[in-house]
Short mmCIF file of all heavy atoms in Angstrom, two decimals:
data_model
loop_
_atom_site.label_atom_id
_atom_site.label_comp_id
_atom_site.label_asym_id
_atom_site.label_seq_id
_atom_site.Cartn_x
_atom_site.Cartn_y
_atom_site.Cartn_z
N LEU A 24 17.50 2.47 -5.20
CA LEU A 24 16.14 2.85 -5.62
C LEU A 24 15.21 2.20 -4.64
O LEU A 24 15.30 1.01 -4.42
CB LEU A 24 15.91 2.41 -7.04
CG LEU A 24 14.53 2.68 -7.61
CD1 LEU A 24 14.24 4.16 -7.75
CD2 LEU A 24 14.34 1.96 -8.92
N LYS A 25 14.25 2.95 -4.10
CA LYS A 25 13.30 2.45 -3.16
C LYS A 25 11.87 2.86 -3.51
O LYS A 25 11.67 4.03 -3.94
CB LYS A 25 13.57 2.93 -1.74
CG LYS A 25 14.85 2.35 -1.18
CD LYS A 25 15.01 2.77 0.26
CE LYS A 25 16.29 2.16 0.83
NZ LYS A 25 16.40 2.34 2.23
N LEU A 26 10.96 2.00 -3.36
CA LEU A 26 9.52 2.29 -3.48
C LEU A 26 8.96 2.15 -2.06
O LEU A 26 8.77 1.08 -1.61
CB LEU A 26 8.80 1.35 -4.49
CG LEU A 26 7.37 1.57 -4.66
CD1 LEU A 26 7.03 2.99 -5.12
CD2 LEU A 26 6.73 0.53 -5.62
N ARG A 27 8.77 3.31 -1.43
CA ARG A 27 8.41 3.30 0.02
C ARG A 27 6.94 3.16 0.26
O ARG A 27 6.50 2.44 1.09
CB ARG A 27 8.89 4.60 0.67
CG ARG A 27 10.42 4.75 0.56
CD ARG A 27 11.14 3.86 1.38
NE ARG A 27 11.05 4.34 2.77
CZ ARG A 27 11.48 3.68 3.82
NH1 ARG A 27 12.05 2.54 3.68
NH2 ARG A 27 11.35 4.21 5.02
N ASN A 28 6.09 3.89 -0.48
CA ASN A 28 4.63 3.84 -0.28
C ASN A 28 3.90 3.72 -1.57
O ASN A 28 4.30 4.43 -2.57
CB ASN A 28 4.17 5.10 0.45
CG ASN A 28 4.73 5.23 1.83
OD1 ASN A 28 4.62 4.28 2.61
ND2 ASN A 28 5.31 6.34 2.13
N LEU A 29 2.85 2.90 -1.61
CA LEU A 29 2.02 2.75 -2.80
C LEU A 29 0.64 2.42 -2.38
O LEU A 29 0.45 1.60 -1.49
CB LEU A 29 2.58 1.61 -3.71
CG LEU A 29 1.76 1.31 -4.95
CD1 LEU A 29 1.87 2.43 -5.94
CD2 LEU A 29 2.23 -0.02 -5.59
N GLN A 30 -0.34 3.11 -2.89
CA GLN A 30 -1.74 2.79 -2.59
C GLN A 30 -2.51 2.80 -3.91
O GLN A 30 -2.42 3.80 -4.67
CB GLN A 30 -2.35 3.81 -1.61
CG GLN A 30 -3.74 3.42 -1.24
CD GLN A 30 -4.38 4.39 -0.22
OE1 GLN A 30 -4.32 5.64 -0.36
NE2 GLN A 30 -5.02 3.82 0.75
N ILE A 31 -3.24 1.74 -4.19
CA ILE A 31 -4.13 1.69 -5.28
C ILE A 31 -5.57 1.43 -4.73
O ILE A 31 -5.72 0.76 -3.73
CB ILE A 31 -3.73 0.61 -6.31
CG1 ILE A 31 -3.65 -0.74 -5.70
CG2 ILE A 31 -2.43 0.97 -6.95
CD1 ILE A 31 -3.44 -1.85 -6.65
N GLY A 32 -6.54 1.98 -5.43
CA GLY A 32 -7.92 1.84 -5.03
C GLY A 32 -8.87 1.76 -6.18
O GLY A 32 -8.55 2.17 -7.24
N TYR A 33 -10.05 1.28 -5.87
CA TYR A 33 -11.11 1.17 -6.86
C TYR A 33 -12.41 1.61 -6.27
O TYR A 33 -12.84 1.10 -5.24
CB TYR A 33 -11.21 -0.27 -7.37
CG TYR A 33 -12.37 -0.50 -8.31
CD1 TYR A 33 -12.28 0.01 -9.62
CD2 TYR A 33 -13.53 -1.16 -7.95
CE1 TYR A 33 -13.38 -0.18 -10.51
CE2 TYR A 33 -14.56 -1.32 -8.84
CZ TYR A 33 -14.49 -0.84 -10.12
OH TYR A 33 -15.51 -0.98 -10.97
N ASN A 34 -13.06 2.62 -6.89
CA ASN A 34 -14.37 3.06 -6.47
C ASN A 34 -15.38 2.32 -7.33
O ASN A 34 -15.36 2.41 -8.56
CB ASN A 34 -14.53 4.59 -6.66
CG ASN A 34 -13.67 5.35 -5.67
OD1 ASN A 34 -13.52 4.93 -4.55
ND2 ASN A 34 -13.13 6.43 -6.19
N VAL A 35 -16.27 1.59 -6.68
CA VAL A 35 -17.33 0.85 -7.35
C VAL A 35 -18.29 1.91 -7.99
O VAL A 35 -18.62 2.89 -7.31
CB VAL A 35 -18.08 -0.07 -6.38
CG1 VAL A 35 -19.21 -0.78 -7.11
CG2 VAL A 35 -17.13 -1.09 -5.82
N PRO A 36 -18.69 1.76 -9.25
CA PRO A 36 -19.58 2.73 -9.93
C PRO A 36 -20.83 2.94 -9.08
O PRO A 36 -21.39 2.08 -8.51
CB PRO A 36 -19.83 2.09 -11.28
CG PRO A 36 -18.73 1.13 -11.48
CD PRO A 36 -18.34 0.65 -10.13
N GLU A 37 -21.27 4.19 -9.21
CA GLU A 37 -22.47 4.64 -8.40
C GLU A 37 -23.77 3.84 -8.67
O GLU A 37 -24.50 3.56 -7.80
CB GLU A 37 -22.72 6.10 -8.66
CG GLU A 37 -23.72 6.73 -7.76
CD GLU A 37 -23.84 8.24 -7.98
OE1 GLU A 37 -22.87 8.90 -8.27
OE2 GLU A 37 -24.92 8.74 -7.74
N ASN A 38 -23.93 3.47 -9.99
CA ASN A 38 -25.16 2.72 -10.32
C ASN A 38 -25.14 1.33 -9.65
O ASN A 38 -26.28 0.86 -9.27
CB ASN A 38 -25.34 2.66 -11.82
CG ASN A 38 -24.24 1.97 -12.53
OD1 ASN A 38 -23.17 1.69 -11.97
ND2 ASN A 38 -24.39 1.62 -13.80
N VAL A 39 -24.03 0.75 -9.46
CA VAL A 39 -23.93 -0.58 -8.82
C VAL A 39 -24.13 -0.43 -7.31
O VAL A 39 -24.82 -1.19 -6.67
CB VAL A 39 -22.54 -1.26 -9.12
CG1 VAL A 39 -22.43 -2.51 -8.33
CG2 VAL A 39 -22.39 -1.50 -10.64
N VAL A 40 -23.53 0.66 -6.73
CA VAL A 40 -23.60 0.88 -5.30
C VAL A 40 -25.01 1.17 -4.89
O VAL A 40 -25.49 0.73 -3.85
CB VAL A 40 -22.61 2.03 -4.95
CG1 VAL A 40 -22.82 2.42 -3.49
CG2 VAL A 40 -21.18 1.64 -5.15
N MET A 41 -25.80 1.96 -5.69
CA MET A 41 -27.14 2.29 -5.37
C MET A 41 -28.09 1.04 -5.33
O MET A 41 -29.00 1.00 -4.58
CB MET A 41 -27.67 3.29 -6.34
CG MET A 41 -27.06 4.64 -6.27
SD MET A 41 -27.36 5.41 -4.64
CE MET A 41 -26.71 7.01 -4.91
N LYS A 42 -27.74 0.06 -6.17
CA LYS A 42 -28.54 -1.17 -6.21
C LYS A 42 -28.45 -1.97 -4.88
O LYS A 42 -29.37 -2.66 -4.50
CB LYS A 42 -28.11 -2.06 -7.39
CG LYS A 42 -28.56 -1.53 -8.68
CD LYS A 42 -28.07 -2.45 -9.81
CE LYS A 42 -28.44 -1.82 -11.18
NZ LYS A 42 -27.99 -2.66 -12.25
N ILE A 43 -27.29 -1.83 -4.18
CA ILE A 43 -27.09 -2.50 -2.94
C ILE A 43 -27.35 -1.57 -1.74
O ILE A 43 -26.85 -1.83 -0.63
CB ILE A 43 -25.78 -3.23 -2.86
CG1 ILE A 43 -24.58 -2.36 -3.16
CG2 ILE A 43 -25.76 -4.46 -3.78
CD1 ILE A 43 -23.23 -3.02 -3.08
N LYS A 44 -27.97 -0.41 -1.97
CA LYS A 44 -28.38 0.54 -1.00
C LYS A 44 -27.23 1.14 -0.13
O LYS A 44 -27.28 1.17 1.06
CB LYS A 44 -29.45 -0.06 -0.06
CG LYS A 44 -30.63 -0.55 -0.88
CD LYS A 44 -31.81 -0.88 -0.06
CE LYS A 44 -32.74 -1.56 -1.02
NZ LYS A 44 -34.04 -1.31 -0.97
N MET A 45 -26.21 1.52 -0.90
CA MET A 45 -25.06 2.22 -0.29
C MET A 45 -24.87 3.53 -0.98
O MET A 45 -25.30 3.73 -2.12
CB MET A 45 -23.82 1.38 -0.39
CG MET A 45 -23.83 0.09 0.38
SD MET A 45 -22.22 -0.77 0.15
CE MET A 45 -22.59 -2.24 0.93
N GLU A 46 -24.13 4.42 -0.38
CA GLU A 46 -23.76 5.68 -0.99
C GLU A 46 -22.42 5.57 -1.72
O GLU A 46 -22.29 6.12 -2.82
CB GLU A 46 -23.68 6.83 0.00
CG GLU A 46 -24.99 7.29 0.53
CD GLU A 46 -24.87 8.51 1.42
OE1 GLU A 46 -23.78 9.14 1.45
OE2 GLU A 46 -25.81 8.75 2.21
N ARG A 47 -21.51 4.90 -1.09
CA ARG A 47 -20.16 4.75 -1.67
C ARG A 47 -19.52 3.47 -1.24
O ARG A 47 -19.68 3.01 -0.09
CB ARG A 47 -19.29 5.96 -1.17
CG ARG A 47 -17.95 6.07 -1.83
CD ARG A 47 -17.13 7.21 -1.31
NE ARG A 47 -17.94 8.38 -0.99
CZ ARG A 47 -17.60 9.33 -0.16
NH1 ARG A 47 -16.47 9.21 0.53
NH2 ARG A 47 -18.39 10.33 0.10
N LEU A 48 -18.69 2.89 -2.12
CA LEU A 48 -17.99 1.62 -1.85
C LEU A 48 -16.67 1.73 -2.53
O LEU A 48 -16.56 1.98 -3.78
CB LEU A 48 -18.77 0.42 -2.37
CG LEU A 48 -18.19 -0.95 -2.11
CD1 LEU A 48 -17.95 -1.21 -0.64
CD2 LEU A 48 -19.07 -2.05 -2.74
N ARG A 49 -15.56 1.60 -1.73
CA ARG A 49 -14.23 1.70 -2.29
C ARG A 49 -13.38 0.56 -1.68
O ARG A 49 -13.41 0.32 -0.48
CB ARG A 49 -13.61 3.03 -1.92
CG ARG A 49 -12.22 3.21 -2.47
CD ARG A 49 -11.71 4.62 -2.13
NE ARG A 49 -10.45 4.86 -2.80
CZ ARG A 49 -9.25 4.73 -2.16
NH1 ARG A 49 -9.20 4.47 -0.92
NH2 ARG A 49 -8.15 4.98 -2.83
N PHE A 50 -12.60 -0.09 -2.52
CA PHE A 50 -11.64 -1.10 -2.08
C PHE A 50 -10.22 -0.52 -2.34
O PHE A 50 -10.02 0.12 -3.33
CB PHE A 50 -11.76 -2.41 -2.93
CG PHE A 50 -13.09 -3.05 -2.78
CD1 PHE A 50 -14.06 -2.86 -3.70
CD2 PHE A 50 -13.34 -3.89 -1.71
CE1 PHE A 50 -15.34 -3.46 -3.60
CE2 PHE A 50 -14.56 -4.52 -1.56
CZ PHE A 50 -15.54 -4.29 -2.52
N TYR A 51 -9.34 -0.80 -1.43
CA TYR A 51 -7.91 -0.30 -1.62
C TYR A 51 -6.92 -1.29 -1.10
O TYR A 51 -7.21 -2.11 -0.23
CB TYR A 51 -7.78 1.08 -1.03
CG TYR A 51 -7.81 1.13 0.49
CD1 TYR A 51 -6.66 0.91 1.26
CD2 TYR A 51 -9.02 1.26 1.20
CE1 TYR A 51 -6.72 0.94 2.63
CE2 TYR A 51 -9.07 1.30 2.58
CZ TYR A 51 -7.92 1.08 3.30
OH TYR A 51 -7.92 1.09 4.65
N LEU A 52 -5.71 -1.14 -1.63
CA LEU A 52 -4.56 -1.93 -1.20
C LEU A 52 -3.40 -0.92 -1.02
O LEU A 52 -3.12 -0.16 -1.89
CB LEU A 52 -4.17 -2.98 -2.22
CG LEU A 52 -2.92 -3.77 -1.93
CD1 LEU A 52 -3.11 -4.66 -0.74
CD2 LEU A 52 -2.56 -4.63 -3.14
N SER A 53 -2.80 -0.99 0.15
CA SER A 53 -1.72 -0.12 0.48
C SER A 53 -0.46 -0.95 0.83
O SER A 53 -0.57 -1.94 1.47
CB SER A 53 -2.09 0.80 1.68
OG SER A 53 -0.99 1.57 2.03
N ALA A 54 0.69 -0.53 0.37
CA ALA A 54 1.98 -1.22 0.66
C ALA A 54 3.03 -0.23 1.06
O ALA A 54 3.13 0.86 0.49
CB ALA A 54 2.39 -1.99 -0.60
N GLN A 55 3.79 -0.57 2.08
CA GLN A 55 4.90 0.21 2.50
C GLN A 55 6.17 -0.64 2.45
O GLN A 55 6.16 -1.85 2.71
CB GLN A 55 4.76 0.71 3.99
CG GLN A 55 3.58 1.62 4.09
CD GLN A 55 3.33 1.97 5.56
OE1 GLN A 55 3.76 1.25 6.46
NE2 GLN A 55 2.63 3.07 5.78
N ASN A 56 7.25 0.01 2.05
CA ASN A 56 8.57 -0.68 1.82
C ASN A 56 8.45 -1.81 0.81
O ASN A 56 8.92 -2.94 1.08
CB ASN A 56 9.13 -1.17 3.18
CG ASN A 56 9.21 -0.09 4.21
OD1 ASN A 56 9.62 0.98 3.88
ND2 ASN A 56 8.75 -0.37 5.43
N LEU A 57 7.80 -1.50 -0.28
CA LEU A 57 7.53 -2.50 -1.29
C LEU A 57 8.70 -3.01 -2.05
O LEU A 57 8.82 -4.23 -2.32
CB LEU A 57 6.45 -1.98 -2.22
CG LEU A 57 5.85 -2.92 -3.22
CD1 LEU A 57 5.12 -4.08 -2.47
CD2 LEU A 57 4.86 -2.21 -4.12
N LEU A 58 9.64 -2.11 -2.39
CA LEU A 58 10.77 -2.51 -3.25
C LEU A 58 11.97 -1.77 -2.90
O LEU A 58 11.98 -0.57 -2.66
CB LEU A 58 10.31 -2.16 -4.71
CG LEU A 58 11.31 -2.46 -5.83
CD1 LEU A 58 11.51 -3.98 -5.96
CD2 LEU A 58 10.81 -1.88 -7.08
N THR A 59 13.11 -2.49 -2.86
CA THR A 59 14.42 -1.89 -2.68
C THR A 59 15.35 -2.54 -3.71
O THR A 59 15.51 -3.79 -3.67
CB THR A 59 14.96 -2.11 -1.28
OG1 THR A 59 14.10 -1.52 -0.33
CG2 THR A 59 16.34 -1.45 -1.11
N ILE A 60 16.01 -1.73 -4.60
CA ILE A 60 16.97 -2.26 -5.48
C ILE A 60 18.29 -1.51 -5.19
O ILE A 60 18.38 -0.32 -5.15
CB ILE A 60 16.53 -1.89 -6.94
CG1 ILE A 60 15.22 -2.57 -7.24
CG2 ILE A 60 17.60 -2.32 -7.93
CD1 ILE A 60 14.64 -2.19 -8.59
N LYS A 61 19.34 -2.31 -4.97
CA LYS A 61 20.64 -1.68 -4.67
C LYS A 61 21.69 -2.39 -5.57
O LYS A 61 21.53 -3.49 -6.05
CB LYS A 61 21.03 -1.79 -3.23
CG LYS A 61 21.26 -3.15 -2.70
CD LYS A 61 21.69 -3.08 -1.24
CE LYS A 61 22.13 -4.44 -0.79
NZ LYS A 61 22.64 -4.32 0.64
N SER A 62 22.80 -1.62 -5.74
CA SER A 62 23.86 -2.11 -6.59
C SER A 62 24.59 -3.22 -5.84
O SER A 62 24.77 -3.18 -4.59
CB SER A 62 24.84 -0.94 -6.85
OG SER A 62 25.99 -1.42 -7.48
N LYS A 63 25.11 -4.18 -6.59
CA LYS A 63 25.92 -5.27 -6.01
C LYS A 63 27.26 -4.72 -5.52
O LYS A 63 27.87 -5.30 -4.62
CB LYS A 63 26.17 -6.35 -7.06
CG LYS A 63 24.98 -7.16 -7.40
CD LYS A 63 25.27 -8.24 -8.43
CE LYS A 63 24.01 -8.97 -8.79
NZ LYS A 63 24.29 -9.97 -9.82
N ASP A 64 27.70 -3.57 -6.03
CA ASP A 64 28.96 -2.93 -5.65
C ASP A 64 28.86 -2.16 -4.35
O ASP A 64 29.85 -1.82 -3.78
CB ASP A 64 29.47 -2.07 -6.76
CG ASP A 64 29.76 -2.83 -8.03
OD1 ASP A 64 30.11 -4.00 -7.92
OD2 ASP A 64 29.62 -2.24 -9.15
N PHE A 65 27.63 -1.84 -3.89
CA PHE A 65 27.45 -1.07 -2.70
C PHE A 65 27.62 -1.93 -1.50
O PHE A 65 26.93 -2.93 -1.29
CB PHE A 65 26.09 -0.44 -2.71
CG PHE A 65 25.78 0.41 -1.51
CD1 PHE A 65 26.38 1.62 -1.37
CD2 PHE A 65 24.90 -0.04 -0.53
CE1 PHE A 65 26.14 2.39 -0.24
CE2 PHE A 65 24.67 0.74 0.57
CZ PHE A 65 25.27 1.95 0.74
N THR A 66 28.57 -1.56 -0.63
CA THR A 66 28.81 -2.38 0.61
C THR A 66 28.54 -1.62 1.88
O THR A 66 28.68 -2.14 2.94
CB THR A 66 30.26 -2.82 0.65
OG1 THR A 66 31.12 -1.65 0.56
CG2 THR A 66 30.60 -3.77 -0.52
N GLY A 67 28.03 -0.38 1.73
CA GLY A 67 27.76 0.44 2.92
C GLY A 67 26.41 0.01 3.59
O GLY A 67 25.65 -0.78 3.15
N VAL A 68 26.20 0.65 4.75
CA VAL A 68 25.01 0.41 5.51
C VAL A 68 23.86 1.38 5.06
O VAL A 68 24.15 2.53 4.76
CB VAL A 68 25.30 0.64 6.99
CG1 VAL A 68 24.04 0.47 7.88
CG2 VAL A 68 26.44 -0.28 7.47
N ASP A 69 22.70 0.89 5.07
CA ASP A 69 21.53 1.67 4.62
C ASP A 69 21.24 2.69 5.81
O ASP A 69 20.94 2.30 6.92
CB ASP A 69 20.34 0.80 4.44
CG ASP A 69 19.09 1.56 3.96
OD1 ASP A 69 19.17 2.78 3.83
OD2 ASP A 69 18.06 0.88 3.68
N PRO A 70 21.37 4.01 5.53
CA PRO A 70 21.18 4.98 6.59
C PRO A 70 19.66 5.06 7.08
O PRO A 70 19.42 5.61 8.15
CB PRO A 70 21.61 6.29 5.96
CG PRO A 70 21.46 6.10 4.53
CD PRO A 70 21.72 4.63 4.27
N GLU A 71 18.79 4.53 6.30
CA GLU A 71 17.34 4.55 6.73
C GLU A 71 17.02 3.36 7.63
O GLU A 71 15.90 3.26 8.19
CB GLU A 71 16.43 4.52 5.56
CG GLU A 71 16.47 5.80 4.75
CD GLU A 71 15.49 5.74 3.60
OE1 GLU A 71 15.05 4.66 3.19
OE2 GLU A 71 15.21 6.81 3.07
N ASN A 72 17.96 2.43 7.81
CA ASN A 72 17.76 1.19 8.61
C ASN A 72 18.46 1.35 9.95
O ASN A 72 19.70 1.12 10.01
CB ASN A 72 18.22 -0.02 7.86
CG ASN A 72 17.76 -1.30 8.45
OD1 ASN A 72 17.37 -1.31 9.63
ND2 ASN A 72 17.98 -2.37 7.84
N PRO A 73 17.75 1.70 11.03
CA PRO A 73 18.48 1.89 12.30
C PRO A 73 19.01 0.59 12.94
O PRO A 73 19.82 0.63 13.84
CB PRO A 73 17.38 2.47 13.18
CG PRO A 73 16.13 2.03 12.62
CD PRO A 73 16.35 1.88 11.07
N ASN A 74 18.57 -0.54 12.47
CA ASN A 74 18.99 -1.80 13.04
C ASN A 74 20.24 -2.39 12.44
O ASN A 74 20.72 -3.45 12.79
CB ASN A 74 17.84 -2.84 12.98
CG ASN A 74 16.68 -2.41 13.81
OD1 ASN A 74 16.83 -1.75 14.83
ND2 ASN A 74 15.48 -2.66 13.33
N PHE A 75 20.79 -1.69 11.44
CA PHE A 75 22.04 -2.09 10.79
C PHE A 75 22.05 -3.54 10.36
O PHE A 75 22.80 -4.33 10.89
CB PHE A 75 23.21 -1.74 11.70
CG PHE A 75 23.32 -0.31 11.98
CD1 PHE A 75 23.04 0.14 13.23
CD2 PHE A 75 23.67 0.58 11.03
CE1 PHE A 75 23.11 1.50 13.58
CE2 PHE A 75 23.77 1.96 11.32
CZ PHE A 75 23.48 2.35 12.63
N GLY A 76 21.29 -3.94 9.42
CA GLY A 76 21.35 -5.23 8.84
C GLY A 76 20.04 -5.97 8.82
O GLY A 76 19.81 -6.86 7.99
N TYR A 77 19.16 -5.69 9.75
CA TYR A 77 17.87 -6.31 9.76
C TYR A 77 17.04 -5.68 8.66
O TYR A 77 17.06 -4.46 8.49
CB TYR A 77 17.15 -6.21 11.12
CG TYR A 77 17.85 -6.89 12.19
CD1 TYR A 77 18.54 -6.25 13.25
CD2 TYR A 77 17.77 -8.33 12.23
CE1 TYR A 77 19.18 -6.93 14.18
CE2 TYR A 77 18.45 -8.98 13.24
CZ TYR A 77 19.12 -8.31 14.24
OH TYR A 77 19.77 -8.94 15.21
N PRO A 78 16.28 -6.45 7.94
CA PRO A 78 15.50 -5.88 6.80
C PRO A 78 14.31 -5.06 7.36
O PRO A 78 13.77 -5.30 8.41
CB PRO A 78 14.97 -7.14 6.08
CG PRO A 78 15.04 -8.25 7.03
CD PRO A 78 16.16 -7.93 8.01
N ILE A 79 14.01 -4.05 6.58
CA ILE A 79 12.84 -3.17 6.91
C ILE A 79 11.62 -3.96 6.46
O ILE A 79 11.59 -4.46 5.32
CB ILE A 79 12.95 -1.86 6.16
CG1 ILE A 79 14.18 -1.05 6.65
CG2 ILE A 79 11.67 -1.02 6.38
CD1 ILE A 79 14.40 0.22 5.87
N PRO A 80 10.67 -4.15 7.35
CA PRO A 80 9.50 -5.04 7.01
C PRO A 80 8.62 -4.47 5.89
O PRO A 80 8.39 -3.29 5.79
CB PRO A 80 8.74 -5.17 8.30
CG PRO A 80 9.10 -3.97 9.09
CD PRO A 80 10.47 -3.62 8.68
N LEU A 81 8.04 -5.37 5.12
CA LEU A 81 7.03 -5.05 4.16
C LEU A 81 5.67 -5.07 4.86
O LEU A 81 5.32 -6.02 5.53
CB LEU A 81 7.05 -6.09 3.00
CG LEU A 81 5.93 -6.12 2.06
CD1 LEU A 81 5.92 -4.84 1.21
CD2 LEU A 81 5.95 -7.28 1.15
N ASN A 82 4.89 -3.98 4.64
CA ASN A 82 3.55 -3.91 5.24
C ASN A 82 2.54 -3.81 4.14
O ASN A 82 2.64 -2.95 3.29
CB ASN A 82 3.44 -2.66 6.15
CG ASN A 82 4.34 -2.69 7.31
OD1 ASN A 82 4.48 -3.72 7.97
ND2 ASN A 82 4.97 -1.57 7.59
N LEU A 83 1.58 -4.69 4.13
CA LEU A 83 0.48 -4.74 3.22
C LEU A 83 -0.84 -4.55 3.94
O LEU A 83 -1.05 -5.17 4.98
CB LEU A 83 0.41 -6.02 2.43
CG LEU A 83 1.56 -6.36 1.54
CD1 LEU A 83 1.44 -7.71 0.90
CD2 LEU A 83 1.71 -5.33 0.42
N THR A 84 -1.65 -3.60 3.47
CA THR A 84 -3.00 -3.35 4.09
C THR A 84 -4.00 -3.39 3.03
O THR A 84 -3.88 -2.74 1.97
CB THR A 84 -2.93 -1.98 4.75
OG1 THR A 84 -1.85 -1.90 5.68
CG2 THR A 84 -4.24 -1.70 5.51
N PHE A 85 -5.06 -4.11 3.30
CA PHE A 85 -6.25 -4.12 2.39
C PHE A 85 -7.42 -3.55 3.17
O PHE A 85 -7.63 -3.81 4.32
CB PHE A 85 -6.57 -5.57 1.99
CG PHE A 85 -7.84 -5.71 1.16
CD1 PHE A 85 -7.83 -5.35 -0.18
CD2 PHE A 85 -8.96 -6.16 1.76
CE1 PHE A 85 -8.97 -5.43 -0.90
CE2 PHE A 85 -10.15 -6.27 0.99
CZ PHE A 85 -10.11 -5.89 -0.32
N GLY A 86 -8.23 -2.73 2.47
CA GLY A 86 -9.30 -2.11 3.19
C GLY A 86 -10.50 -1.93 2.28
O GLY A 86 -10.47 -2.00 1.06
N VAL A 87 -11.62 -1.65 2.96
CA VAL A 87 -12.89 -1.38 2.32
C VAL A 87 -13.50 -0.12 3.01
O VAL A 87 -13.59 -0.08 4.25
CB VAL A 87 -13.87 -2.57 2.43
CG1 VAL A 87 -15.22 -2.23 1.76
CG2 VAL A 87 -13.33 -3.81 1.81
N ASN A 88 -13.88 0.86 2.20
CA ASN A 88 -14.56 2.06 2.73
C ASN A 88 -15.99 1.94 2.26
O ASN A 88 -16.24 1.87 1.01
CB ASN A 88 -13.96 3.32 2.23
CG ASN A 88 -12.62 3.61 2.82
OD1 ASN A 88 -12.23 3.12 3.84
ND2 ASN A 88 -11.79 4.37 2.11
N VAL A 89 -16.95 2.03 3.18
CA VAL A 89 -18.37 1.90 2.87
C VAL A 89 -19.09 3.13 3.47
O VAL A 89 -18.89 3.40 4.64
CB VAL A 89 -18.95 0.58 3.40
CG1 VAL A 89 -20.42 0.49 3.10
CG2 VAL A 89 -18.24 -0.58 2.83
N SER A 90 -19.95 3.74 2.74
CA SER A 90 -20.82 4.77 3.27
C SER A 90 -22.31 4.36 2.97
O SER A 90 -22.59 4.02 1.82
CB SER A 90 -20.51 6.11 2.60
OG SER A 90 -19.24 6.54 2.90
N PHE A 91 -23.13 4.46 3.99
CA PHE A 91 -24.53 4.20 3.81
C PHE A 91 -25.38 5.41 3.77
O PHE A 91 -25.04 6.44 4.29
CB PHE A 91 -25.04 3.30 4.98
CG PHE A 91 -24.48 1.89 4.91
CD1 PHE A 91 -23.36 1.54 5.67
CD2 PHE A 91 -25.00 0.93 4.11
CE1 PHE A 91 -22.85 0.26 5.69
CE2 PHE A 91 -24.53 -0.35 4.10
CZ PHE A 91 -23.44 -0.65 4.86
#
């Protein structure tokens, strides 16, 4: 079982954004290769891993989208 991509975001309410003279404000967090669960009985190689044994890296990205 793998969780490959996940993105969560929050749009700041319009009444708060207008007070700080912006049109839109959004915060988000994105993750790639977040979770891998495998059986203890499985001894084969992961076909999605071309390096045969090296772990696939976890990537986290945090961002802010602002419109004025």
Side-chain angles (χ1 to χ4, degrees):
L24 176 69
K25 292 185 179 188
L26 180 57
R27 301 288 286 172
N28 296 309
L29 177 70
Q30 184 178 47
I31 56 173
Y33 175 72
N34 291 324
V35 177
E37 189 174 329
N38 60 349
V39 174
V40 173
M41 293 296 188
K42 289 180 184 178
I43 53 178
K44 303 192 189 221
M45 295 181 188
E46 286 185 18
R47 187 179 324 154
L48 180 61
R49 181 175 187 261
F50 298 97
Y51 67 90
L52 176 67
S53 176
Q55 295 176 339
N56 305 317
L57 188 60
L58 180 67
T59 301
I60 299 173
K61 67 178 188 174
S62 171
K63 291 180 182 180
D64 297 331
F65 180 73
T66 58
V68 178
D69 184 358
E71 292 183 343
N72 189 349
N74 296 325
F75 300 109
Y77 293 108
I79 297 174
L81 168 67
N82 296 317
L83 296 174
T84 305
F85 174 77
V87 178
N88 291 338
V89 179
S90 297
F91 290 97

